[in-house]
Amino acid sequence: MLYWSRKTFVEEENFYGAFKKNTRGAVPGLAVHFERKTDHHTNKEIDVSKSYLNQELMADGSDMLSRFNARLNDVYCMKRDDVKALATWIVTLPEELTEAPYEQQSAFFEATTNFLNERYGQENAVAAVVHYDETTPHLHYAFVPVVFDDKKSRYKVSAKEVLTRHDLQTFHEDLDQHLKKVLPFYERGILNNKTLPFENVAEIKKYNDQFNALKTELADIEDNIRAKQAVLKITDQALTEVDLAEKQIDAFKQDLSKNLFGKTVLKPDDLDRFKSMLATMKKATLQSQHETEELKQTLGQVKAQLADIQADYQNLKETHQALQKRQREQQQLDYAMRDMLKNDYGVDKIAHTDVEARYVLYKLDHEELTKNKKVAQSWLKTLTTARVDPDTKIAPTRLDRGIEQVKALINRIIELTRDIFRGPSR
């Protein structure tokens, strides 16, 4: 999922990134956050006890603020407070690597940093820090957006010219292709129709959008209803006046024939036309009443839809929060396991073949057996590969026992398949 532009966040599949343009005044505060220069954070998700895990990928002995000032001294930058002198990317670990070894996660962030250095110029980079002490590991990358000014033959700061629409539109695909080239374990890519860190984020956004659209529609209808009700107050009064006028006209027409002078001041046809006009007014007001009743019914339906959407949105939000909690707990367990392996057993890293083999052995030990022949054959290949690996940490006897179990499982699947095709015996 990729977020970009100033404070507008746009989702894009299985990769989180946040892009922002910053003024000079924002740089000191960003440096404090990136480099963890304080233990008193406003972000409650930061666990300072894990900050030692964070990585500084620009370990040149200086700090972010010094690099920023040094780069600005080398290029031209307008002396205005609103100039966007620093651009920042936040790139979050894809879902497929959330349970990967620390080494693979670190390699992902280093490869991403190399990509950003190449895209925006390593000489312009002022920070590249990986935070492991928050909910999800992520990279903070900051750089001064510099271009060459052909007219004045000098380098200048111009976020508008560096971070163009084309640059943002091609960023996802370019980064994805780069990572696939340089990381052998990175096969599925960031653009694989999944979201990070939870599959329900996209659904929550969808329902949130529907919710807001219906709220807007409801407000419009309510305004229309209020306008119609105001009209009804007038038309109700008009109906009364029309009825009264009709009665007065009838009485007036009768009085005309009794005029003392024997002459008619107004013609009866004129009064008939006037009465017809009043009848038309009365019909119009009745139609307005009918339309108002229909609008009231529509309003009721929209309110019911809104209530359903609100309920769905709340359910998805609660599910999202539960998944966040579960991921935090899983991350804590992961850190605990790494600490135990390193400090209690002296294991700094585990080969990928061992990880896959231990997964299969776990399935076998807990009788979580597959019924798919291809899956079982892949299990056999995994265990066999680990068995011939001289660097494996798994006991050979355990691997041999697992290999025999998988072979027996494959035979059972083959026999079951034959029985199915053979059909019932007579």
Side-chain angles (χ1 to χ4, degrees), residues 16 63 153 155 166-167 190 371:
Y16 274 135
D63 59 16
S153 298
Y155 286 96
H166 175 73
D167 176 74
I190 57 177
K371 296 180 181 179

Side-chain angles (χ1 to χ4, degrees), residues 111 174-184 186:
D174 292 347
L175 176 57
D176 187 51
Q177 293 302 319
H178 172 78
L179 294 175
K180 286 179 178 177
K181 287 179 182 178
V182 300
L183 300 178
Y186 186 82

Side-chain angles (χ1 to χ4, degrees), residues 284-299:
T285 54
L286 289 173
Q287 178 65 27
S288 177
Q289 283 183 318
H290 176 69
E291 291 175 356
T292 301
E293 290 301 321
E294 289 182 343
L295 282 172
K296 285 182 179 179
Q297 292 179 1
T298 303
L299 177 62

Side-chain angles (χ1 to χ4, degrees), residues 23-32 34-35 37 56 58 60 62-73 86 125-129 142 144:
T23 61
R24 283 191 189 91
V27 176
L30 291 172
V32 169
F34 289 3
E35 297 174 334
K37 292 185 176 181
E56 169 59 72
M58 292 186 66
D60 57 0
S62 63
D63 59 16
M64 175 179 168
L65 198 55
S66 299
R67 298 186 200 108
F68 173 73
N69 290 329
R71 187 53 179 155
L72 279 193
N73 288 335
L86 184 77
V126 299
V129 181
V144 179

Side-chain angles (χ1 to χ4, degrees), residues 229-264:
Q229 287 173 339
V231 171
L232 276 178
K233 290 180 181 179
I234 298 174
T235 53
D236 284 342
Q237 182 180 357
L239 284 172
T240 303
E241 292 175 353
V242 167
D243 290 336
L244 179 60
E246 286 181 331
K247 293 177 181 178
Q248 290 176 340
I249 289 171
D250 288 337
F252 185 54
K253 286 178 68 175
Q254 292 177 3
D255 291 341
L256 286 177
S257 61
K258 300 176 182 178
N259 190 287
L260 293 175
F261 301 99
K263 295 182 179 180
T264 307

Side-chain angles (χ1 to χ4, degrees), residues 5 27 58 102 107 109 161 202 206 284 308 349:
S5 84
V27 176
M58 292 186 66
Y102 181 83
F109 288 122
E161 294 179 63
K206 178 186 70 175
D308 291 340
K349 62 180 181 179

